[in-house]
Amino acid sequence: DAGITQSPRHKVTETGTPVTLRCHQTENHRYMYWYRQDPGHGLRLIHYSYGVKDTDKGEVSDGYSVSRSKTEDFLLTLESATSSQTSVYFCAIGTGGINEKLFFGSGTQLSVL
Amino acid sequence: GQQVMQIPQYQHVQEGEDFTTYCNSSTTLSNIQWYKQRPGGHPVFLIQLVKSGEVKKQKRLTFQFGEAKKNSSLHITATQTTDVGTYFCAGPYFGNEKLTFGTGTRLTIIP
């Protein structure tokens, strides 16, 4: 498997609290992605990064922000968690381009009570 | 918006039976990729098809990309317990390089 580490693996938090998920890669890939996975919806793109400090929104970006201060780290922040953000979050890395294939981390199970 | 639907959402088969999942896009895709996610695991890349009408095989798995590049299928012959998992298709739309994932088909095997 590609060198991608997500932390934490599991988190339980309360509505209204801030939450930060971390993705760390050792592959030096330019592109990094955050997806959420929910039953019946597959994988939906939240935000992605195409370089240090270069980020863009995906299809479900509301309520989320990201930062990438180093090539290897991509952070996903929920400023004020809501119950609708209970999900499994996956980080992925890729080389970019039209034929890009993605390598996924092991995921973070987030529960917002 | 751009949508990629997969059918069926769930499939239960007896071990040894065949299995097929279908992927349909609302617009043309520049290529199609397939990923497999084992229960409790993460998606893992299986294959990519690029050409219209392309067919590729990986042992018991056969992947097809439609002539109009709007649909695809994955067929597994003689399923085994190791085939259990959720299969996702994904494709980048022309003009947008980011992958849009299908809704997935969850395959369970009855021994």
Side-chain angles (χ1 to χ4, degrees):
Chain A
D1 285 345
I4 311 168
T5 305
Q6 288 186 236
S7 59
R9 290 296 312 278
H10 303 272
K11 185 167 182 67
V12 180
T13 190
E14 294 184 348
T15 298
T17 60
V19 177
T20 296
L21 307 183
R22 179 176 181 251
C23 179
H24 178 80
Q25 63 147 329
T26 58
E27 305 296 321
N28 201 34
H29 279 1
R30 179 182 173 192
Y31 285 77
M32 298 186 76
Y33 303 84
W34 278 107
Y35 286 87
R36 61 176 290 174
Q37 183 174 28
D38 305 287
H41 291 280
L43 292 150
R44 293 181 291 175
L45 181 63
I46 305 171
H47 282 281
Y48 66 97
S49 170
Y50 48 96
V52 174
K53 298 184 179 179
D54 292 323
T55 65
D56 205 349
K57 296 179 180 180
E59 62 178 309
V60 290
S61 59
D62 288 349
Y64 302 94
S65 63
V66 290
S67 66
R68 191 169 179 197
S69 59
K70 298 185 291 185
T71 299
E72 56 266 35
D73 291 326
F74 192 32
L75 303 180
L76 176 70
T77 297
L78 292 65
E79 300 291 345
S80 178
T82 67
S83 58
S84 65
Q85 293 176 312
T86 292
S87 187
V88 179
Y89 291 85
F90 286 100
C91 174
I93 63 174
T95 53
I98 202 70
N99 291 321
E100 175 184 51
K101 57 185 179 184
L102 300 184
F103 300 93
F104 286 83
S106 299
T108 295
Q109 173 68 61
L110 176 66
S111 297
V112 183
L113 306 179
Chain B
Q2 299 159 342
Q3 290 187 328
V4 180
M5 301 299 295
Q6 280 183 254
I7 55 171
Q9 187 174 359
Y10 301 96
Q11 185 77 58
H12 311 282
V13 300
Q14 292 274 356
E15 188 174 7
E17 291 183 340
D18 293 356
F19 158 77
T20 304
T21 172
Y22 300 91
C23 175
N24 296 290
S25 170
S26 57
T27 58
T28 303
L29 301 169
S30 56
N31 65 71
I32 192 81
Q33 300 178 14
W34 286 90
Y35 291 77
K36 177 184 178 181
Q37 182 179 22
R38 294 183 185 276
H42 58 276
V44 175
F45 174 84
L46 292 177
I47 204 164
Q48 180 187 68
L49 298 95
V50 178
K51 300 177 183 178
S52 171
E54 188 172 10
V55 177
K56 287 188 176 181
K57 292 188 176 183
Q58 287 181 349
K59 297 183 180 179
R60 295 178 294 105
L61 279 61
T62 301
F63 304 83
Q64 293 187 321
F65 198 12
E67 294 289 341
K69 303 185 81 171
K70 295 177 70 175
N71 55 71
S72 181
S73 65
L74 159 59
H75 179 83
I76 303 178
T77 303
T79 54
Q80 300 175 358
T81 55
T82 54
D83 297 324
V84 165
T86 301
Y87 293 85
F88 293 98
C89 62
Y93 290 92
F94 282 107
N96 177 358
E97 295 181 354
K98 299 306 124 192
L99 285 178
T100 296
F101 279 80
T103 46
T105 296
R106 183 175 176 181
L107 172 65
T108 57
I109 306 290
I110 306 166

Tab-separated table of all heavy atoms in Angstrom, chain A residues 84-105:
chain	number	residue	atom	x	y	z
A	84	SER	N	-24.716	15.828	10.754
A	84	SER	CA	-24.695	15.426	9.337
A	84	SER	C	-23.278	15.163	8.832
A	84	SER	O	-23.103	14.631	7.728
A	84	SER	CB	-25.349	16.506	8.476
A	84	SER	OG	-24.600	17.704	8.520
A	85	GLN	N	-22.288	15.526	9.621
A	85	GLN	CA	-20.909	15.273	9.247
A	85	GLN	C	-20.382	13.965	9.826
A	85	GLN	O	-19.207	13.631	9.635
A	85	GLN	CB	-20.022	16.450	9.662
A	85	GLN	CG	-20.336	17.715	8.871
A	85	GLN	CD	-19.556	18.917	9.325
A	85	GLN	OE1	-19.478	19.215	10.530
A	85	GLN	NE2	-18.976	19.637	8.383
A	86	THR	N	-21.237	13.225	10.509
A	86	THR	CA	-20.890	11.863	10.906
A	86	THR	C	-20.693	11.048	9.635
A	86	THR	O	-21.596	10.960	8.799
A	86	THR	CB	-22.009	11.243	11.762
A	86	THR	OG1	-22.062	11.921	13.010
A	86	THR	CG2	-21.751	9.759	11.984
A	87	SER	N	-19.510	10.458	9.493
A	87	SER	CA	-19.172	9.792	8.244
A	87	SER	C	-17.822	9.097	8.395
A	87	SER	O	-17.148	9.209	9.413
A	87	SER	CB	-19.102	10.826	7.107
A	87	SER	OG	-18.923	10.213	5.851
A	88	VAL	N	-17.447	8.396	7.342
A	88	VAL	CA	-16.086	7.885	7.232
A	88	VAL	C	-15.350	8.786	6.255
A	88	VAL	O	-15.825	9.012	5.127
A	88	VAL	CB	-16.044	6.427	6.746
A	88	VAL	CG1	-14.599	5.951	6.635
A	88	VAL	CG2	-16.827	5.531	7.699
A	89	TYR	N	-14.217	9.297	6.690
A	89	TYR	CA	-13.445	10.229	5.876
A	89	TYR	C	-12.184	9.529	5.362
A	89	TYR	O	-11.427	8.942	6.136
A	89	TYR	CB	-13.067	11.460	6.700
A	89	TYR	CG	-14.261	12.319	7.033
A	89	TYR	CD1	-15.050	12.043	8.141
A	89	TYR	CD2	-14.623	13.375	6.206
A	89	TYR	CE1	-16.176	12.814	8.431
A	89	TYR	CE2	-15.729	14.151	6.491
A	89	TYR	CZ	-16.506	13.863	7.606
A	89	TYR	OH	-17.617	14.622	7.879
A	90	PHE	N	-11.989	9.627	4.056
A	90	PHE	CA	-10.814	9.040	3.436
A	90	PHE	C	-9.955	10.124	2.811
A	90	PHE	O	-10.456	11.017	2.112
A	90	PHE	CB	-11.203	8.045	2.344
A	90	PHE	CG	-11.728	6.740	2.860
A	90	PHE	CD1	-13.085	6.485	2.902
A	90	PHE	CD2	-10.849	5.757	3.306
A	90	PHE	CE1	-13.566	5.283	3.377
A	90	PHE	CE2	-11.328	4.550	3.782
A	90	PHE	CZ	-12.685	4.308	3.819
A	91	CYS	N	-8.678	10.005	3.037
A	91	CYS	CA	-7.692	10.813	2.337
A	91	CYS	C	-7.172	9.978	1.173
A	91	CYS	O	-7.072	8.749	1.266
A	91	CYS	CB	-6.558	11.170	3.280
A	91	CYS	SG	-5.169	12.015	2.518
A	92	ALA	N	-6.868	10.640	0.077
A	92	ALA	CA	-6.294	9.949	-1.070
A	92	ALA	C	-5.198	10.815	-1.678
A	92	ALA	O	-5.204	12.047	-1.526
A	92	ALA	CB	-7.366	9.638	-2.117
A	93	ILE	N	-4.265	10.153	-2.342
A	93	ILE	CA	-3.205	10.870	-3.040
A	93	ILE	C	-3.162	10.425	-4.488
A	93	ILE	O	-3.596	9.313	-4.830
A	93	ILE	CB	-1.829	10.650	-2.379
A	93	ILE	CG1	-1.412	9.180	-2.435
A	93	ILE	CG2	-1.839	11.158	-0.949
A	93	ILE	CD1	0.003	8.920	-1.917
A	94	GLY	N	-2.645	11.309	-5.346
A	94	GLY	CA	-2.528	10.981	-6.753
A	94	GLY	C	-1.506	11.862	-7.419
A	94	GLY	O	-1.033	12.856	-6.840
A	95	THR	N	-1.176	11.512	-8.647
A	95	THR	CA	-0.163	12.251	-9.391
A	95	THR	C	-0.753	13.335	-10.273
A	95	THR	O	-0.035	14.112	-10.886
A	95	THR	CB	0.657	11.293	-10.265
A	95	THR	OG1	-0.262	10.531	-11.073
A	95	THR	CG2	1.461	10.331	-9.413
A	96	GLY	N	-2.098	13.380	-10.340
A	96	GLY	CA	-2.749	14.385	-11.169
A	96	GLY	C	-2.876	13.930	-12.607
A	96	GLY	O	-2.377	12.881	-12.994
A	97	GLY	N	-3.568	14.709	-13.403
A	97	GLY	CA	-3.730	14.381	-14.809
A	97	GLY	C	-4.984	13.587	-15.065
A	97	GLY	O	-5.584	13.015	-14.157
A	98	ILE	N	-5.343	13.476	-16.328
A	98	ILE	CA	-6.611	12.861	-16.699
A	98	ILE	C	-6.619	11.363	-16.401
A	98	ILE	O	-7.678	10.764	-16.212
A	98	ILE	CB	-6.919	13.143	-18.179
A	98	ILE	CG1	-8.406	13.002	-18.437
A	98	ILE	CG2	-6.094	12.262	-19.092
A	98	ILE	CD1	-9.228	14.084	-17.820
A	99	ASN	N	-5.486	10.715	-16.377
A	99	ASN	CA	-5.415	9.278	-16.108
A	99	ASN	C	-4.970	8.961	-14.688
A	99	ASN	O	-4.536	7.857	-14.388
A	99	ASN	CB	-4.466	8.592	-17.095
A	99	ASN	CG	-5.030	8.592	-18.495
A	99	ASN	OD1	-6.228	8.403	-18.702
A	99	ASN	ND2	-4.167	8.831	-19.475
A	100	GLU	N	-5.124	9.947	-13.824
A	100	GLU	CA	-4.708	9.771	-12.442
A	100	GLU	C	-5.475	8.640	-11.781
A	100	GLU	O	-6.694	8.533	-11.921
A	100	GLU	CB	-4.956	11.070	-11.678
A	100	GLU	CG	-4.670	10.993	-10.193
A	100	GLU	CD	-5.046	12.291	-9.489
A	100	GLU	OE1	-6.193	12.744	-9.690
A	100	GLU	OE2	-4.216	12.837	-8.746
A	101	LYS	N	-4.800	7.791	-11.024
A	101	LYS	CA	-5.448	6.830	-10.164
A	101	LYS	C	-5.097	7.204	-8.734
A	101	LYS	O	-4.038	7.761	-8.462
A	101	LYS	CB	-5.023	5.404	-10.489
A	101	LYS	CG	-3.544	5.148	-10.414
A	101	LYS	CD	-3.246	3.731	-10.871
A	101	LYS	CE	-1.764	3.433	-10.832
A	101	LYS	NZ	-1.439	2.088	-11.367
A	102	LEU	N	-6.021	6.881	-7.837
A	102	LEU	CA	-5.881	7.324	-6.459
A	102	LEU	C	-5.477	6.190	-5.533
A	102	LEU	O	-5.859	5.034	-5.717
A	102	LEU	CB	-7.200	7.922	-5.963
A	102	LEU	CG	-7.725	9.142	-6.735
A	102	LEU	CD1	-8.982	9.671	-6.066
A	102	LEU	CD2	-6.670	10.215	-6.845
A	103	PHE	N	-4.715	6.569	-4.512
A	103	PHE	CA	-4.342	5.655	-3.442
A	103	PHE	C	-4.931	6.223	-2.159
A	103	PHE	O	-4.712	7.391	-1.853
A	103	PHE	CB	-2.826	5.542	-3.331
A	103	PHE	CG	-2.181	5.035	-4.584
A	103	PHE	CD1	-1.706	5.922	-5.539
A	103	PHE	CD2	-2.063	3.676	-4.825
A	103	PHE	CE1	-1.128	5.460	-6.705
A	103	PHE	CE2	-1.478	3.205	-5.994
A	103	PHE	CZ	-1.023	4.100	-6.931
A	104	PHE	N	-5.659	5.369	-1.439
A	104	PHE	CA	-6.411	5.825	-0.288
A	104	PHE	C	-5.751	5.450	1.026
A	104	PHE	O	-5.098	4.408	1.139
A	104	PHE	CB	-7.823	5.224	-0.303
A	104	PHE	CG	-8.728	5.849	-1.325
A	104	PHE	CD1	-8.696	5.437	-2.645
A	104	PHE	CD2	-9.609	6.850	-0.957
A	104	PHE	CE1	-9.532	6.017	-3.587
A	104	PHE	CE2	-10.460	7.435	-1.880
A	104	PHE	CZ	-10.416	7.018	-3.201
A	105	GLY	N	-5.965	6.309	2.021
A	105	GLY	CA	-5.597	5.980	3.379
A	105	GLY	C	-6.633	5.050	3.996
A	105	GLY	O	-7.629	4.696	3.355
